[in-house]
Amino acid sequence: MHARMIMAAALLEETWHEERVCGELDLSLTLTTGQAFRWHSLGGDDGITWVGAVGQYVFALKSRDDSTLTYHTLHTPQDHTHTPSHTLRDYFRLDTDLSELCTSWANADPNFNSKVSQYKGVRLLRQDPLENVISFICSSNNNIARISGMLNSLCENLGEPICCYGDHTIYGFPTLDSLCADNMESTLRDLGFGYRSKYVAMAAKSIVEKGGVEWLLGLREKPYAEVVTSLRTLSGVGPKVADCVAMMSCDKLEAVPIDTHVWSVAVRDYGLAKKNKSLTASAYKEIGDHFRDLFGPMAGWAIAVLFVADLDRSGRYKGESIQSPKGSKGKRKRKDQQSLKSAKKRKT
DNA sequence: ACAATACCTCGTGT
DNA sequence: AACACGAGGTATT
């Protein structure tokens, strides 16, 4: 009996490695706050383990302390050109000294300074462009919980299983080819993507026409303005999503994605764009330019930290919305119609 | 340029 | 129980 248990333990033995982090790394703040949507957390005896795929690699991650990433490689792709160590250092940008950056941002801005001590360790992930665009097309008018559900469902249905860990099966993100299958829009509707189904289906085909994944990866070599212009030719990609992708997977850290929340932070804490009722193109640029001016060439990362600082523990916003003054006539009308349509559908 | 509207779905609050 | 609301927006008037 005892021997059997020891044998079982030996068979399941996991080899853990460590990477030194330049500055801090907080896995929870980095993996659950809306940059990536496919990391699972497992509660263990010695803390939380995060499991997920980075490309075709699958890792289990733990953090021993602020400055150490502890990992176990669950799956290594056949044709890998990089080591697990290299892959993780790249994904988490471990060679970028985050404490140095935070110091310079804190020196530049009192508001950042007042918040950073609680939220150091928010790292900007360097993600795969295809998964990144598709994910953020799905993020429109949506919430993190549902986005995660949609993307996991997408991978389970259209991606390939890579390996298992505990009771989880880890899937790869669907290939561009599989996203171009016939009737993709209706497939995605069945998966609960709603009106984003058409955007995703069209964007996938459009990416193929432009040169596929190579085209997306090639954007990393182009200047920021051109990256945004190129991305915005894809359906479902507007100014905010284009900035997300430019920043998170195309190496344009000067991109400042402005969603309703960053907008309200800009108004509340920086006195910007107050007079506009909607986030116009010029207000969008004004806010972005302000933060680029304030924080410098990696302004997007600084904003990501401020963004996380305004989430509560369940990933919801702390601050009050400045967008809907509660009595807005236009807004009310829209909502009522929306509800009416939903009601009709339910009865039918 | 800017404002107004529609768009799927779903957990939460009343 | 039923309904309204809003969630990391975008496309189309």
Side-chain angles (χ1 to χ4, degrees):
Chain A
M1 183 73 167
H2 190 60
R4 281 179 73 109
M5 284 178 68
I6 290 173
M7 269 187 60
L11 287 172
L12 294 173
E13 189 177 343
E14 299 167 346
T15 313
W16 292 83
H17 302 277
E18 295 192 341
E19 291 293 331
R20 184 192 314 281
V21 180
C22 295
E24 291 81 19
L25 165 62
D26 185 317
L27 287 176
S28 178
L29 290 180
T30 300
L31 298 177
T32 68
T33 50
Q35 289 192 57
F37 302 93
R38 283 187 333 112
W39 286 93
H40 303 281
S41 66
L42 307 173
D45 306 331
D46 54 343
I48 299 174
T49 301
W50 297 94
V51 179
V54 180
Q56 289 296 114
Y57 269 106
V58 177
F59 296 108
L61 310 174
K62 290 181 183 179
S63 55
R64 198 163 53 70
D65 57 65
D66 275 2
S67 297
T68 310
L69 172 62
T70 306
Y71 71 95
H72 169 223
T73 307
L74 291 165
H75 178 82
T76 302
Q78 294 288 328
D79 56 346
H80 62 283
T81 53
H82 295 297
T83 62
S85 166
H86 176 95
T87 302
L88 286 171
R89 296 201 74 80
D90 184 72
Y91 184 69
F92 286 101
R93 302 179 199 266
L94 295 184
D95 295 313
T96 302
D97 190 332
L98 181 53
S99 66
E100 203 172 83
L101 285 173
C102 283
T103 300
S104 80
W105 294 329
N107 286 336
D109 175 33
N111 181 52
F112 187 97
N113 185 46
S114 69
K115 293 181 175 169
V116 68
S117 61
Q118 323 274 329
Y119 301 96
K120 50 186 183 181
V122 176
R123 286 199 164 259
L124 192 69
L125 300 171
R126 186 169 192 255
Q127 303 192 57
D128 170 69
L130 178 61
E131 175 165 355
N132 197 211
V133 216
I134 301 298
S135 297
F136 278 84
I137 288 174
C138 296
S139 75
S140 81
N141 218 290
N142 210 345
N143 57 73
I144 293 177
R146 185 177 164 212
I147 300 165
S148 299
M150 286 162 60
L151 291 169
N152 283 316
S153 165
L154 180 73
C155 294
E156 285 166 22
N157 284 278
L158 298 175
E160 297 294 326
I162 304 179
C163 71
C164 296
Y165 188 78
D167 51 0
H168 282 282
T169 302
I170 312 301
Y171 289 83
F173 196 80
T175 62
L176 188 53
D177 273 353
S178 58
L179 290 172
C180 290
D182 293 338
N183 305 116
M184 187 50 53
E185 181 181 345
S186 92
T187 300
L188 295 173
R189 289 236 171 221
D190 292 342
L191 294 180
F193 277 54
Y195 64 80
R196 303 163 196 81
S197 305
K198 190 173 193 173
Y199 295 160
V200 171
M202 288 177 68
K205 296 207 165 163
S206 178
I207 291 169
V208 170
E209 286 172 11
K210 291 166 194 295
V213 171
E214 297 298 313
W215 174 74
L216 281 174
L217 284 169
L219 296 178
R220 287 178 168 174
E221 314 305 323
K222 312 261 165 131
Y224 168 52
E226 186 180 340
V227 171
V228 168
T229 306
S230 297
L231 289 169
R232 287 200 55 180
T233 62
L234 304 175
S235 76
V237 178
K240 188 267 180 179
V241 171
D243 270 339
C244 284
V245 178
M247 176 179 77
M248 300 186 206
S249 61
C250 296
D251 298 338
K252 307 307 165 211
L253 273 61
E254 68 267 51
V256 178
I258 299 161
D259 53 48
T260 56
H261 184 55
V262 170
W263 183 29
S264 60
V265 169
V267 174
R268 187 194 63 196
D269 298 338
Y270 297 88
L272 298 172
K274 260 182 210 160
K275 293 170 184 172
N276 302 316
K277 286 190 176 180
S278 62
L279 188 54
T280 62
S282 87
Y284 192 98
K285 184 178 188 311
E286 180 195 330
I287 295 170
D289 285 344
H290 178 84
F291 286 130
R292 277 183 284 274
D293 193 46
L294 186 57
F295 293 119
M298 293 179 131
W301 194 335
I303 293 303
V305 176
L306 287 181
F307 178 89
V308 172
D310 253 63
L311 298 175
D312 66 20
R313 284 185 184 171
S314 57
R316 303 196 162 214
Y317 298 130
K318 286 179 188 169
E320 295 169 40
S321 171
I322 50 98
Q323 199 181 174
S324 60
K326 288 181 188 174
S328 168
K329 213 176 176 184
K331 198 129 202 181
R332 242 205 145 71
K333 192 176 178 185
R334 179 176 79 80
K335 294 301 178 187
D336 289 345
Q337 286 182 352
Q338 200 168 42
S339 301
L340 218 81
K341 287 209 170 180
S342 304
K344 263 187 188 172
K345 261 198 170 171
R346 251 175 267 132
K347 285 179 183 173
T348 314

